[in-house]
């Protein structure tokens, strides 16, 4: 099984489309529906045998959840904060601009 290149809390951007986001979960390989996979145009459809990342994503118009293959992600080095409204629920922002998952208290 392939090791994920990116990590939870890392800011990434899509290599083909104009959106970016913070990773909040990783699947070691494709774990979405066949319907979702088949809806991707064949000429840009990624391989299934690679990590796929769940992102709190944004583009110039809106915020949403994205599911993206590792081959289509690049590290975002802009240093700009991500404005997704769920960031504060899942992450603490560090002084250097990175996002750290919030610690869950256990009772």
């Amino acid at each position: 099984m392939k090791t994920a290149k990116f990590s939870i809390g890392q800011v990434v951007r899509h290599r083909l489309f104009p959106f970016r986001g913070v990773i909040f979960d990783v699947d070691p390989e494709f774990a979405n529906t066949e319907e979702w996979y088949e809806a991707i145009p064949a000429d840009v459809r990624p391989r299934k045998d690679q990590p796929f990342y769940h992102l709190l994503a944004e583009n110039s118009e809106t915020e949403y959840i994205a599911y993206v293959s590792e081959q289509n992600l690049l590290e975002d080095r802009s240093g700009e904060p991500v404005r997704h409204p769920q960031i504060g629920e899942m992450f603490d922002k560090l002084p250097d601009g990175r996002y750290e998952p919030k610690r869950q208290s256990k009772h």
Side-chain angles (χ1 to χ4, degrees):
M1 191 173 292
K2 187 175 178 186
T3 302
K5 178 179 175 181
F6 303 106
S7 59
I8 301 218
Q10 188 170 1
V11 180
V12 292
R13 63 182 175 89
H14 198 282
R15 75 176 180 87
L16 300 174
F17 302 110
F19 71 86
R20 60 196 288 270
V22 176
I23 296 168
F24 70 90
D25 196 13
V26 182
D27 294 333
E29 58 184 38
F30 181 78
N32 207 331
T33 65
E34 274 305 305
E35 180 179 71
W36 182 93
Y37 187 75
E38 293 297 326
I40 301 169
D43 61 331
V44 295
R45 192 176 298 147
R47 297 180 333 272
K48 290 182 177 181
D49 64 341
Q50 62 181 312
F52 275 72
Y53 299 83
H54 300 260
L55 309 179
L56 296 175
E58 66 182 23
N59 61 27
S60 62
E61 299 158 6
T62 192
E63 299 83 32
Y64 53 97
I65 303 292
Y67 190 64
V68 186
S69 65
E70 185 168 277
Q71 77 186 59
N72 284 322
L73 289 177
L74 300 168
E75 183 178 359
D76 182 289
R77 298 174 188 243
S78 70
E80 295 292 320
V82 177
R83 69 177 187 272
H84 195 285
Q86 289 178 276
I87 292 269
E89 295 171 25
M90 300 169 111
F91 296 97
D92 290 321
K93 188 159 191 215
L94 301 177
D96 66 3
R98 292 183 298 128
Y99 293 91
E100 179 178 68
K102 286 188 181 279
R103 303 217 186 275
Q104 300 295 322
S105 61
K106 298 191 179 179
H107 299 282

